[in-house]
């Protein structure tokens, strides 16, 4: 049973910083891609950043040069360092991990979400 524990959300003023963490457990063969998504009120969930098992990263254009995603494979944990936060970054942030299986198939698991609120 895969479990994801997210932490680090909160409220911050514009220009401030927050760091999100997501610790995954329950996969015999570990995890492939890990990432963060967000959903603002009235909007669809969107990709923020992803990191592969080997460390390759991808970012939404709106967060490039402000957010940094990283992971610790030994701890099965993914992080999102968010700097220079803007009010438009306000959303519920969700961690997503891809569980590896013995036959090479991967399947997604989502965290419960953590609220990030940026005031102007």
């Amino acid at each position: 049973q895969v479990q994801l524990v997210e932490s680090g959300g909160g409220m911050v003023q514009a220009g401030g910083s927050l760091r999100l963490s997501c610790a995954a457990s329950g996969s015999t063969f570990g995890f492939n891609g890990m990432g963060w998504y967000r959903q603002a009120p009235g909007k669809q969930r969107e990709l923020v950043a992803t990191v592969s098992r080997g460390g390759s990263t991808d970012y939404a254009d709106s967060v490039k040069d402000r957010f940094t995603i990283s992971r610790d494979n030994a701890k099965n944990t993914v992080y999102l360092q968010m700097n220079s936060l803007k009010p438009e970054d306000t959303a519920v942030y969700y961690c997503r991990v891809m569980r590896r299986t013995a036959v090479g198939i991967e399947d997604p698991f989502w965290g419960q979400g953590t609220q990030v609120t940026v005031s102007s």
Side-chain angles (χ1 to χ4, degrees):
Q1 181 78 7
V2 172
Q3 291 188 325
L4 301 177
V5 179
E6 299 178 5
S7 61
M11 183 177 294
V12 66
Q13 289 189 331
S17 298
L18 285 173
R19 188 187 192 217
L20 306 182
S21 299
C22 174
S25 62
S27 174
T28 301
F29 300 98
F31 301 93
N32 285 338
M34 306 178 87
W36 292 94
Y37 293 71
R38 67 186 181 186
Q39 187 166 18
K43 294 188 177 181
Q44 290 188 333
R45 191 173 298 187
E46 63 177 3
L47 180 146
V48 176
T50 60
V51 57
S52 71
R53 188 175 179 88
S56 297
T57 58
D58 187 31
Y59 295 92
D61 287 343
S62 60
V63 307
K64 280 181 181 177
D65 300 324
R66 298 189 298 123
F67 292 8
T68 302
I69 190 170
S70 61
R71 65 187 285 172
D72 184 333
N73 288 333
K75 297 180 179 179
N76 287 327
T77 300
V78 61
Y79 306 95
L80 186 68
Q81 177 67 43
M82 304 184 292
N83 298 328
S84 302
L85 282 160
K86 304 175 181 180
E88 51 263 44
D89 294 318
T90 296
V92 178
Y93 283 69
Y94 297 91
C95 169
R96 191 189 81 164
V97 301
M98 303 300 289
R99 181 182 64 172
R100 302 175 73 189
T101 68
V103 294
I105 297 172
E106 56 179 19
D107 46 4
F109 289 85
W110 291 88
Q112 79 281 4
T114 185
Q115 178 69 46
V116 171
T117 303
V118 185
S119 61
S120 57

